[in-house]
Amino acid sequence: IHCDERSDIISEINFEGESLAGGFFRTLLPEFGELKFLKVLNLRGTGLGGGFHRKLTYLQNLEVLDLGENQLVGRIPQEIGKMISLKKLELHNTLIEGQLQSIYNLTNLEILNLTNNFLGGTIETDIGNMLKLEKLDLSFNQFTGEVPEHLLNAISLREIVLSSNRFTGKLPLIRGKVKNPVVPKHLSRMILGNNEFESSIPKGIELMKGLKELRLENNKLSGRIPEQLGNLKHLELMSLHYNQLIGTIPSEFINMKNLTR
């Protein structure tokens, strides 16, 4: 527990990895909602069970909330959309279900990690309001439908991990018209494998100059492998297998000196 040096107000609670599964702590947890000036609450891997306490959404000044690697069940409460100061939300490896709901209102969010849960439904165009996103991980869930290109409104995106869902439609790689595409210039990881994407790989992918990892395996991609992929000179890992691609491997791939596999 950390207090602000000037005011002695509790600003951070970090019990990561501690065993807090007992009934006493479960009773105490709602009281955290009274800590109005709390900035960081980290209860990752503490054995926490039950539903998401709505009183935690009273923490209007909270910037980091990590409840990952616990036995949380039920849905994410709608009230989470009021936690507008959140910059990092970690709810990975739990048992939560339902849809993203009002998470789209968290416009200051930089890191959203919801991997390995039972979340589903479609991704709404409102995700385009989350302009400060740097890392998005929705992998190993039950999401369906197309991924709206509005996701790419977040120009600071560095990682997009959507693997092992049931996404369909075109790859969310570029935004805008074919002749004038827009991509997040800082993107280094694009992990979209094990879905049902069924478009071709767009030529505009060459604009992702900083891409280091591209995983598109086990989808329904068709057409030829674009020679423009050879312009991604920082690429270290690329996976295209188990698709319906045709033709030969472009000779331009020889330019990818950093490619290891």
Side-chain angles (χ1 to χ4, degrees):
I1 297 178
H2 177 77
C3 294
D4 185 273
E5 294 180 355
R6 292 171 294 181
S7 61
D8 289 332
I9 293 175
I10 296 176
S11 60
E12 179 178 346
I13 296 176
N14 186 346
F15 289 148
E16 180 176 346
E18 301 291 337
S19 179
L20 304 175
F24 172 75
F25 181 76
R26 185 71 189 172
T27 303
L28 182 64
L29 185 59
E31 303 303 320
F32 288 174
E34 304 299 324
L35 301 175
K36 303 298 184 181
F37 298 97
L38 195 65
K39 297 287 187 182
V40 177
L41 178 57
N42 184 355
L43 302 177
R44 178 189 296 193
T46 55
L48 192 63
F52 190 115
H53 271 290
R54 293 182 185 275
K55 281 194 174 182
L56 292 182
T57 64
Y58 295 173
L59 299 171
Q60 302 294 302
N61 292 304
L62 199 67
E63 297 179 359
V64 176
L65 176 59
D66 191 338
L67 303 178
E69 300 176 21
N70 283 299
Q71 300 298 309
L72 293 176
V73 297
R75 298 173 181 268
I76 302 172
Q78 289 278 6
E79 291 85 349
I80 199 172
K82 298 178 182 179
M83 303 176 73
I84 57 176
S85 296
L86 272 183
K87 296 181 180 180
K88 181 179 181 180
L89 178 59
E90 298 265 2
L91 296 176
H92 59 285
N93 295 83
T94 73
L95 302 173
I96 57 175
E97 58 186 8
Q99 302 186 22
L100 295 188
Q101 302 173 313
S102 57
I103 281 182
Y104 301 123
N105 294 333
L106 303 178
T107 53
N108 287 309
L109 213 56
E110 298 172 0
I111 297 175
L112 176 59
N113 185 1
L114 301 176
T115 186
N116 200 19
N117 286 295
F118 295 92
L119 297 166
T122 59
I123 306 299
E124 305 297 329
T125 57
D126 290 343
I127 199 170
N129 299 330
M130 304 171 75
L131 300 178
K132 297 182 181 181
L133 266 184
E134 297 180 10
K135 177 182 177 180
L136 174 66
D137 193 341
L138 303 179
S139 61
F140 293 96
N141 278 288
Q142 301 169 6
F143 291 106
T144 60
E146 297 192 12
V147 179
E149 65 176 23
H150 303 73
L151 169 61
L152 302 181
N153 289 352
I155 59 174
S156 297
L157 270 171
R158 299 181 184 276
E159 296 185 25
I160 300 177
V161 186
L162 305 178
S163 53
S164 298
N165 282 282
R166 289 180 287 167
F167 289 118
T168 59
K170 65 179 183 179
L171 293 168
L173 297 179
I174 60 175
R175 177 173 60 86
K177 298 180 179 180
V178 176
K179 293 184 179 180
N180 189 28
V182 178
V183 301
K185 296 181 180 180
H186 303 290
L187 197 63
S188 62
R189 298 182 73 226
M190 175 71 84
I191 315 298
L192 305 177
N194 298 302
N195 280 290
E196 299 176 17
F197 291 114
E198 51 195 5
S199 63
S200 59
I201 302 174
K203 297 179 180 179
I205 195 173
E206 67 177 331
L207 297 176
M208 296 181 177
K209 302 294 186 182
L211 204 60
K212 294 182 178 181
E213 184 175 356
L214 176 64
R215 302 197 59 160
L216 306 177
E217 76 278 1
N218 200 19
N219 279 288
K220 299 179 180 178
L221 303 179
S222 59
R224 296 183 178 275
I225 301 174
E227 61 186 35
Q228 287 79 5
L229 274 175
N231 295 328
L232 301 177
K233 298 181 180 180
H234 296 288
L235 205 61
E236 299 174 359
L237 189 154
M238 179 172 61
S239 179
L240 305 177
H241 59 276
Y242 293 115
N243 279 290
Q244 300 168 14
L245 300 169
I246 60 174
T248 59
I249 297 176
S251 60
E252 287 79 5
F253 276 28
I254 197 173
N255 298 325
M256 295 189 287
K257 306 294 186 182
N258 294 315
L259 195 64
T260 57
R261 56 191 179 99

